[in-house]
Amino acid sequence: MTEPTHDEAHSGALGSRLNWLRAAVLGANDGIVSTAGLVVGVAGATDSRAALLTAGLAGLLAGSMSMAAGEYVSVSTQRDSEKAALAVEKRELREQPEAELEELTELLEERGLSRQVAREAAEQLTARDALRAHARVELGIDPDELTNPWHAAWASFLAFTAGALLPLLAIVLPPADRRLPVTVVSVLMALVFTGWSSARLGAAAPGRAVVRNVGGGALAMGVTYAVGALLGAAGV
């Protein structure tokens, strides 16, 4: 009889992938809403395709670069904190090995192991790789998989750009009399999808997430269109 295969991903790797997917969905959602609000607002003031294209491209580039820079700074700070915590742990292991062994034992006890089993496990983990053991159990850090700011920056840039392209293309490609309805419908459909996806990735009920997402996007487009129409009527 053949042995059953085990294809289930480890929880840590799975959680990491889900976090990246959720960030990608939210980045795309930001690109959709912000760019849609911008081009719909401009459409309220003018029907010039050149003006719409210029505004949309400017919004796409500014938004994607801002998202990438913000994510790079944020993740770089997190990575620096992780490295600092690992450095402190490495020094403590060198200077107070017995105290660190006792600390690891107590942490394992808190996870439900008996004192004897926890002590034995702590000794084995310490003998194998003390720093990795403390990093994972005490700090919740995998020393081999520290967060990468460049990966996060590129992911945010690409996700925002992908989302922003939808309203940009929807506003410049159709004939003038169809631009606004095509854009509004396309954006609302995309927001249904991103709202549903983010809820499912977070193991939440999708109904409320979709309503919030669509409602927020519709409000943004409504407000910016009204402002654009008022400015256009005033000749600004």
Side-chain angles (χ1 to χ4, degrees):
M1 179 181 297
T2 59
E3 292 293 328
T5 58
H6 181 66
D7 297 325
E8 182 180 356
H10 292 291
S11 58
L14 178 60
S16 178
R17 285 198 297 270
L18 288 178
N19 285 336
W20 279 108
L21 286 171
R22 191 178 298 113
V25 170
L26 294 177
N29 193 78
D30 288 343
I32 294 169
V33 174
S34 60
T35 307
L38 177 61
V39 296
V40 167
V42 175
T46 178
D47 60 358
S48 168
R49 178 178 274 112
L52 292 168
L53 180 60
T54 300
L57 283 176
L60 184 155
L61 290 173
S64 60
M65 294 298 293
S66 175
M67 288 283 290
E71 197 69 16
Y72 179 83
V73 171
S74 174
V75 175
S76 293
T77 301
Q78 178 183 345
R79 185 183 179 91
D80 291 343
S81 298
E82 291 173 343
K83 286 184 174 181
L86 289 173
V88 170
E89 199 63 40
K90 187 174 183 179
R91 186 185 70 247
E92 290 177 346
L93 284 168
R94 183 177 62 253
E95 297 176 353
Q96 309 171 54
E98 288 301 322
E100 289 298 298
L101 177 61
E102 178 60 26
E103 181 181 37
L104 182 58
T105 301
E106 292 175 355
L107 289 170
L108 292 173
E109 280 188 275
E110 292 175 3
R111 297 192 175 192
L113 298 180
S114 67
R115 172 70 184 183
Q116 181 179 352
V117 173
R119 183 70 177 191
E120 182 179 350
E123 290 174 349
Q124 291 183 11
L125 290 170
T126 298
R128 183 176 302 172
D129 192 325
L131 180 60
R132 180 173 283 102
H134 280 266
R136 290 179 173 175
V137 177
E138 181 180 350
L139 305 175
I141 298 174
D142 187 340
D144 298 324
E145 295 184 11
L146 296 181
T147 51
N148 189 313
W150 284 110
H151 290 172
W154 276 110
S156 294
F157 178 88
L158 294 174
F160 187 96
T161 299
L165 281 173
L166 173 68
L168 175 58
L169 295 176
I171 202 74
V172 299
L173 293 182
D177 60 337
R178 297 182 184 178
R179 286 174 186 162
L180 194 58
V182 168
T183 301
V184 171
V185 171
S186 300
V187 166
L188 293 182
M189 290 177 62
L191 292 177
V192 169
F193 175 74
T194 55
W196 179 86
S197 299
S198 62
R200 295 299 296 173
L201 289 170
R208 290 184 179 179
V210 169
V211 170
R212 287 194 299 265
N213 216 32
V214 172
L219 179 62
M221 289 188 290
V223 170
T224 55
Y225 180 80
V227 172
L230 288 172
L231 293 175
V236 177

